């Protein structure tokens, strides 16, 4: 059933794109030159190109749980390097979102074996739970974005190749659809 839905939606997509521009796929085939490199959470409700209505070819996207940046993460480092050195993106967008399960898990002390390592990284991006107990989940997701802005500023690949590239931190509100800018204010 799901498989059929994927196929049906894909056929619909092809039809709509060709209706919009008969040469759409010929253009796509020529290559990509996206202006944006976006880091987003993997959450199924926050797809960056969907919430900004950005057509294919404009956003190079890296996603992981709770949109984390760490120097040891080879997958992110590779995406960042490719985006800066080969795609020459103009803007880096770090996009968190409200009601983030990764942030919630970190804050509530989730200790599942398979998640422990990653959620531990998320926890380090949040204020100290022992010092700050009365904080809203929205505020925590905002803090998480700001931490990733700092992590990016300290990332060796960014330091080497990202000078002059605009950086934006934002928070997608799943309850309203609004994309709130949190950095720079
Ligand atoms: Zn999330």
């Amino acid at each position: 059933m799901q498989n059929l839905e994927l196929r049906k939606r894909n056929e619909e997509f092809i039809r709509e794109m060709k209706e919009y521009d008969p040469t759409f796929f010929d253009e796509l085939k020529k290559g990509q030159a996206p202006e944006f490199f976006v880091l987003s959470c993997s959450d199924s409700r926050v797809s960056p190109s969907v919430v900004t209505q950005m057509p294919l070819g404009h956003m190079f996207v890296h996603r992981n749980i709770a949109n984390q940046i760490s120097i040891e993460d080879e997958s992110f480092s590779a995406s960042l390097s490719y985006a800066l050195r080969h795609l020459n993106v103009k803007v880096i967008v770090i996009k968190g979102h409200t009601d983030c399960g990764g942030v919630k898990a970190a804050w509530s002390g989730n200790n599942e074996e398979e998640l422990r390592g990653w959620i531990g990284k998320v926890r380090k991006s949040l204020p100290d739970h022992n010092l700050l107990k009365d904080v809203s989940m929205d505020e925590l997701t905002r803090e998480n974005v700001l931490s990733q802005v700092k992590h990016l500023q300290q990332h060796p690949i960014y330091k080497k190749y990202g000078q002059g590239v605009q950086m934006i931190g934002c928070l997608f509100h799943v309850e309203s659809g609004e994309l709130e800018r949190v950095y720079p204010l």
Side-chain angles (χ1 to χ4, degrees):
M1 194 63 189
Q2 278 84 355
N3 203 357
L4 198 69
E5 194 188 345
L6 288 180
R7 202 174 69 191
K8 230 178 81 187
R9 284 178 174 269
N10 177 241
E11 283 167 1
E12 183 84 348
F13 160 73
I14 295 168
R15 195 181 57 73
E16 276 180 18
M17 287 301 113
K18 284 184 174 168
E19 227 173 69
Y20 158 73
D21 176 3
T23 67
F24 183 79
F25 292 104
D26 299 317
E27 290 302 315
L28 218 51
K29 196 173 69 179
K30 288 179 185 166
Q32 61 167 334
E35 310 93 287
F36 299 95
F37 172 46
V38 185
L39 170 67
S40 166
C41 181
S42 303
D43 192 301
S44 61
R45 302 165 294 173
V46 305
S47 183
S49 55
V50 174
V51 306
T52 57
Q53 293 202 324
M54 197 61 80
L56 295 180
H58 293 265
M59 281 181 166
F60 187 66
V61 179
H62 186 93
R63 299 181 76 168
N64 61 41
I65 291 178
N67 42 273
Q68 297 298 293
I69 295 176
S70 74
I71 292 166
E72 314 89 73
D73 182 352
E74 288 184 348
S75 177
F76 176 78
S77 296
S79 294
L80 178 64
S81 171
Y82 192 71
L84 290 174
R85 300 189 65 191
H86 298 281
L87 298 175
N88 298 311
V89 296
K90 305 286 178 281
V91 186
I92 299 175
V93 182
I94 298 170
K95 180 177 134 292
H97 69 100
T98 59
D99 198 41
C100 181
V103 170
K104 274 189 197 169
W107 193 249
S108 66
N110 181 296
N111 197 29
E112 276 173 62
E113 193 185 344
E114 296 81 4
L115 297 177
R116 198 175 291 148
W118 194 260
I119 295 301
K121 281 186 201 297
V122 181
R123 197 168 289 125
K124 283 186 195 150
S125 298
L126 302 178
D128 188 335
H129 202 321
N130 295 316
L131 300 175
L132 193 69
K133 284 198 161 51
D134 194 22
V135 59
S136 72
M137 206 38 76
D138 282 7
E139 198 49 47
L140 288 175
T141 52
R142 196 172 283 114
E143 285 297 321
N144 180 43
V145 171
L146 294 174
S147 290
Q148 308 322 314
V149 168
K150 285 195 195 110
H151 293 168
L152 185 61
Q153 285 164 339
Q154 291 157 5
H155 199 294
I157 293 171
Y158 175 77
K159 283 206 241 178
K160 200 166 173 188
Y161 302 106
Q163 300 311 314
V165 177
Q166 192 188 352
M167 190 199 303
I168 294 172
C170 57
L171 189 65
F172 176 68
H173 286 257
V174 292
E175 69 284 0
S176 66
E178 184 206 350
L179 197 57
E180 176 197 0
R181 190 153 103 168
V182 298
Y183 177 90
L185 280 177

